[in-house]
DNA sequence: ACCTGAACACCGTTCAAGT
DNA sequence: ACCTGAACACCGTTCAAGT
């Protein structure tokens, strides 16, 4: 819409602010995201941002909404179960790439609406699955919402818990106490590929957070959809 | 061990610092917990704390460990299922009272050990349940650790997600868009009482986060323990 | 009319000066 | 030897002075 003047673009806007903020958050984490840094990177004075945003909290909210809007919808698979599992794995991969946003979304109160394309799409897919399931007599809308929330919380828990080995690891395989090898598993290899095709274990035989989620998702689905 | 001098206790120690920090975090939240405030409330200079702690991050870690150590063990119920469900509900209630700690634990890397009484106790209970389950042929230690992690992530997700109504609510019961009534559900009525005895709905017919967890826990348990 | 440098009230952390 | 006031380098936010 606006003709961009030559050289560095001048006109400040909410969109440009949010875009730059998102780049900083993705690159350097939420703590590095200061109002002053955003202004500096945009080449404006520190106080200028307050013409477009109320305060830092609003910036964080805008940021979280920007992420929430882009949560993936359900795919086009014919099998409702594949559709459900696929969407939630996509959502996991997406949020794992923006952990900071997951943190804000979990804490924020008004981001729910921004995720409506995700949530309504997910509810539809869950509805189809509930109707198709063997023995299940369909589920009420309230039950579906409950199932949705359980999956959402399961997803949040897996995304927000950072350290790759859960509490249990040290207890599970007794001796090797300090064998917490894999430090950063940030490179989850871009595209979401064939879901759950590879084995359940990482290079060292320890399971990554994503492996845990891949393992848990279908089983949890069985549990929460089994009985009404 | 130390004789306390009359008037305000003088000797500074890690314990006193952590205790005061915990009180501030519980009362006013994690953001209000500044190094300077802790020092002020203890009646010492701001710089004095650095004789006992490395920096603010270490203080947060000590705080999280203090909470993690006090995670509840499994009860004495004869039925392993009741033992498992009871422990995890206790853990939920405990962490819900210290959300700030859940946040630190999720992000921290070295708190795992502090939760060992919780995790090993939980693994034992889960082991008993897996052996007792009808049709299940027991589970390997690795599987149990996986189940443990899934429950832990489910718990974390429920605790960390603040707003009482999940995304779905607005989508689930169409019309009533802005009927997000119950703002603060902080008073979860002290003792943990009879687990899951009351109905699944809050006063307004909307389910609280705790209700969701109560509903999800046994079903998820079925799902993850059902097939090996 | 619109923008923003400088100022204010906070942080965490350090270090030299105090006892 | 031990403690800590004052200082430093950052914050978010405001407001009067600039254009």
């Amino acid at each position: 819409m606006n003709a961009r003047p030559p050289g560095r673009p001048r006109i400040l806007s909410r969109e440009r602010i949010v875009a730059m903020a998102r780049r900083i958050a993705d690159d350097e984490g939420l703590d590095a995201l200061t109002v002053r840094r955003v202004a500096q990177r945009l080449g404006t004075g520190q106080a200028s941002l307050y013409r477009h945003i109320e305060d830092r909290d609003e910036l964080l909210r805008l940021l979280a909404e920007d992420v929430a809007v882009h949560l993936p919808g359900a795919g086009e698979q014919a099998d409702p179960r594949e559709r459900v599992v696929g969407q939630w794995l996509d959502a996991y991969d997406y949020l794992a790439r923006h952990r900071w946003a997951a943190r804000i979304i979990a804490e924020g109160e008004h981001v729910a609406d921004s995720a409506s394309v995700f949530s309504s799409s997910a509810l539809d897919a869950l509805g189809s699955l509930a109707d198709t399931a063997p023995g299940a007599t369909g589920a009420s809308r309230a039950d579906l919402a409950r199932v949705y929330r359980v999956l959402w919380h399961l997803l949040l828990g897996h995304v927000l818990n950072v350290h790759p080995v859960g509490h249990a690891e040290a207890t599970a395989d007794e001796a090797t106490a300090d064998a917490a090898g894999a430090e950063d598993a940030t490179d989850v290899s871009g595209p979401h590929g064939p879901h759950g095709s590879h084995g359940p274990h990482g290079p060292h035989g320890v399971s990554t957070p994503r492996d845990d989620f891949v393992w848990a998702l279908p089983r949890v689905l069985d549990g929460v959809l089994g009985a009404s």
Side-chain angles (χ1 to χ4, degrees), chain A:
Chain A
M1 286 220 201
N2 287 324
R4 237 193 302 168
R8 60 164 73 143
R10 291 249 115 238
I11 354 87
L12 212 50
S13 68
R14 272 164 94 99
E15 284 174 6
R16 292 224 313 132
I17 292 174
V18 170
M20 180 57 80
R22 180 166 172 166
R23 236 174 63 184
I24 294 177
D26 279 336
D27 292 352
E28 313 174 47
L30 203 51
D31 290 338
L33 178 62
T34 71
V35 175
R36 287 168 123 97
R37 261 180 83 78
V38 176
Q40 181 188 330
R41 291 268 216 111
L42 287 172
T44 44
Q46 32 185 287
S48 305
L49 298 199
Y50 290 91
R51 293 267 127 205
H52 302 88
I53 61 168
E54 200 63 36
D55 50 18
R56 186 174 187 265
D57 277 345
E58 193 189 39
L59 179 57
L60 292 186
R61 193 162 48 78
L62 290 173
L63 225 39
E65 281 173 2
D66 189 39
V67 170
V69 165
H70 292 97
L71 278 168
E76 299 292 338
Q77 300 93 328
D79 180 18
R81 172 168 266 263
E82 281 180 22
R83 215 155 64 237
V84 168
V85 170
Q87 179 181 20
W88 285 93
L89 279 185
D90 285 344
Y92 175 90
D93 287 333
Y94 178 69
L95 277 185
R97 262 173 280 143
H98 307 287
R99 263 180 243 279
W100 54 269
R103 248 164 67 188
I104 306 175
I105 293 176
E107 241 139 283
E109 315 204 4
H110 302 296
V111 273
D113 299 346
S114 308
S116 65
V117 324
F118 171 77
S119 56
S120 58
S121 172
L123 280 174
D124 280 355
L126 282 172
S128 311
L129 179 54
D131 293 340
T132 319
T137 66
S140 75
R141 280 189 100 63
D143 280 338
L144 283 184
R146 235 194 238 283
V147 169
Y148 169 85
R149 287 199 299 273
V150 170
L151 292 182
W152 176 253
H153 287 144
L154 186 76
L155 170 60
L156 263 191
H158 277 80
V159 168
L160 292 179
N161 200 96
V162 167
H163 45 260
V165 247
H167 294 210
E169 210 63 7
T171 320
D173 47 8
E174 326 262 25
T176 62
D178 58 339
E183 188 65 21
D184 50 346
T186 37
D187 50 331
V188 206
S189 72
H192 42 67
H195 295 307
S197 68
H198 56 71
H201 293 300
H204 305 306
V206 307
S207 49
T208 69
R210 189 182 194 278
D211 292 332
D212 279 343
F213 188 70
V214 168
W215 184 86
L217 183 52
R219 287 169 175 80
V220 169
L221 220 40
D222 287 338
V224 294
L225 285 181
S228 86

